[in-house]
Amino acid sequence: MAGPAFRAAAVRVRVPATSANLGPGFDALGLSLGLYDDVVVRVADSGLHIDIAGEGSDSLPRDENHLLVRSLRTTFDLLGGQPRGLEIVCANRIPHGRGLGSSSAAICAGILAARAVTIGGDGKLDDAALLELATEIEGHPDNVAACLLGGFTLSWMDAGAARAIRMDPADSIVPVVFVPAKAVLTATARGLLPRSVPHVDAATNAGRAALLVEAMTRRPELLLPATEDRLHQEYRAPAMPESATLVERLRADGVPAVISGAGPTVLALAEDSEADKVAQLAGEGWAANRLELDSAGASVLPLAQ
């Protein structure tokens, strides 16, 4: 059987940063942020050429070991076969190893680009299949769901298949991220989690996660109690003591602050009128950025945009 046909023109994919957990929503809740990586992929006659600018330009592999390339290859296999060659250009703005979904962005970019550059790819790999494939590569759906769908997402596994719903966060919420200079590996942060937690802590988190859905979408004045966590942040604190201290200090000042994903970035969910003031609260050693909420998720864009 003949393999797939590929477009001669390059495709451009834009993927957002994401923050998972948001406090109590461990491995389930995610938020899409207005900070983006751009990837351009073109099918070539032979070989593999990767150009990387921005984050990771001095450390990421430029061969088949790059997570973006592995995601492209996995998707091409599902679509019927590999192209003869690939030319890839990455403009990376999402910090690596900081809990802002850089790996999920690379995975989603690879999957979406492979589908876009394959003629008939949309018919062979629909949006639900995109989520399932991204989750299979990443290992959990929270970041990839937010990256693909945009907005505020709730994801779960159903009989081994990834599922997600997208909600619109309240317009008044402004994400402020505090990014430290030092990275923390996700595997390190996950390794600190206990095998079991007290029942009272699990019950508290269940209630707070349910409240967080209401707070994020309709009643942001409830974000401070809704972002309380007892399942993961305290256990991970030894790997990121400065981040834990900053979260504690911000929350004491009434700011809904959490560890972003596996950390060490701190995410504050500020009111629009207070966001600039909140961004000044961290002090030295932190890169504070006021971001927009992303509503589009991963997108295929014209090359000139």
Side-chain angles (χ1 to χ4, degrees), residues 2-234:
F6 301 103
R7 303 185 190 283
V11 299
R12 177 188 174 197
V13 175
R14 170 166 285 182
V15 284
T18 52
S19 183
N21 304 328
L22 308 180
F26 184 70
D27 277 4
L29 296 178
L31 186 65
S32 188
L33 305 172
L35 179 66
Y36 303 93
D37 286 352
D38 284 286
V39 176
V40 175
V41 176
R42 188 179 76 85
V43 170
D45 291 334
S46 63
L48 172 65
H49 177 78
I50 307 174
D51 184 25
I52 302 172
E55 296 285 340
S57 60
D58 57 351
S59 60
L60 290 174
R62 287 168 168 78
D63 56 24
E64 298 286 344
N65 293 311
H66 194 302
L67 181 57
L68 171 68
V69 178
R70 300 205 311 266
S71 302
L72 281 161
R73 296 299 192 195
T74 299
T75 310
F76 282 132
D77 282 341
L78 287 178
L79 292 172
Q82 297 291 329
R84 294 187 300 272
L86 287 171
E87 294 179 355
I88 302 168
V89 178
C90 304
N92 294 341
R93 303 174 188 88
I94 304 171
H96 288 202
R98 302 300 197 281
L100 288 171
S102 61
S103 63
S104 293
I107 290 166
C108 294
I111 293 172
L112 202 59
R115 185 177 76 168
V117 83
T118 302
I119 296 175
D122 288 355
K124 296 179 180 178
L125 197 67
D126 63 15
D127 290 346
L130 284 184
L131 176 62
E132 292 193 40
L133 179 56
T135 300
E136 180 181 337
I137 297 172
E138 175 76 336
H140 44 89
D142 47 2
N143 284 100
V144 295
C147 186
L148 288 171
L149 301 178
F152 171 52
T153 55
L154 170 61
S155 56
W156 68 98
M157 301 299 294
D158 185 7
R163 300 287 184 263
I165 58 174
R166 180 194 180 282
M167 296 163 278
D168 290 318
D171 292 338
S172 63
I173 297 174
V174 174
V176 180
V177 293
F178 302 92
V179 184
K182 184 179 178 181
V184 172
L185 294 176
T186 299
T188 300
R190 279 191 174 267
L192 294 172
L193 299 179
R195 290 183 176 272
S196 62
V197 297
H199 187 276
V200 64
D201 289 345
T204 297
N205 259 60
R208 292 298 192 269
L211 179 61
L212 185 54
V213 173
E214 175 75 4
M216 283 293 300
T217 56
R218 298 197 298 181
R219 298 187 63 186
E221 70 273 13
L222 295 174
L223 278 170
L224 186 60
T227 49
E228 181 187 356
D229 165 70
R230 296 190 186 182
L231 285 188
H232 65 102
Q233 293 184 157
E234 181 179 351

